[in-house]
Amino acid sequence: MDQQPLSNTPPPAAASVGEDKTTAILAYITLIGFIVAIILHGQKKTALGAYHLRQALGLFIVGIALWFVGMILAVVTFGFGFVLMPLIGLLMLVALIMGIVAAANGEMKPNFLFGKMYEKWFANTFN
C-alpha cells in the first residue's frame, strides 16, 4: 500500500459563499433589492456580487428601454404595443429568473439578453 505524504499546507479558507450569493441574488429582486445588494457589496466586495450587479443593472436598463419602445408602439400603431407588452414582460421575467438561478448556483454566466454587452458597458462598475 502506497501512502502519499501529507501536505503541510492548510486547505484554503472557505470563502463566505453565502454572502456572495446573497448579494448576487438580491441584485435581481426589484429596485429595492438592487439597492440593498449595492450596500452589501460596498461592505464586502466580491467578484460574484460585482458580476451579478452588472448583469442586473443591464437587465433593468434594457427592461426600461423595451417598456418605452412598447409604449411608443402602442401609441403609434394604435394598440400593437399593448399586444407586445406582455411578451416583453415575459422575456424580462425569464431573464431575471435565469439570473437568479445563476447567482444561486454561484455561476458567473452572462444573461442571454445582451449579457456579454453588459460586461463591456459596465466593466468599471461595482469594482
Side-chain angles (χ1 to χ4, degrees), residues 69-83:
V69 167
M71 293 310 282
I72 290 169
L73 284 174
V75 171
V76 172
T77 61
F78 302 107
F80 176 70
F82 291 121
V83 174

Side-chain angles (χ1 to χ4, degrees), residues 24-103:
I25 292 168
L26 278 176
Y28 293 100
I29 302 176
T30 72
L31 182 59
I32 294 170
F34 184 74
I35 292 168
V36 170
I38 291 172
I39 293 168
L40 289 174
H41 183 69
Q43 294 172 356
K44 182 180 178 192
K45 295 185 184 255
T46 62
L48 184 68
Y51 182 83
H52 285 287
L53 279 167
R54 287 189 291 269
Q55 292 290 309
L57 177 62
L59 280 175
F60 290 145
I61 290 171
V62 166
I64 290 168
L66 288 175
W67 181 81
F68 275 115
V69 167
M71 293 310 282
I72 290 169
L73 284 174
V75 171
V76 172
T77 61
F78 302 107
F80 176 70
F82 291 121
V83 174
L84 192 61
M85 292 303 284
L87 297 176
I88 291 171
L90 183 62
L91 178 71
M92 292 308 299
L93 179 64
V94 168
L96 285 172
I97 289 172
M98 288 180 72
I100 291 170
V101 168

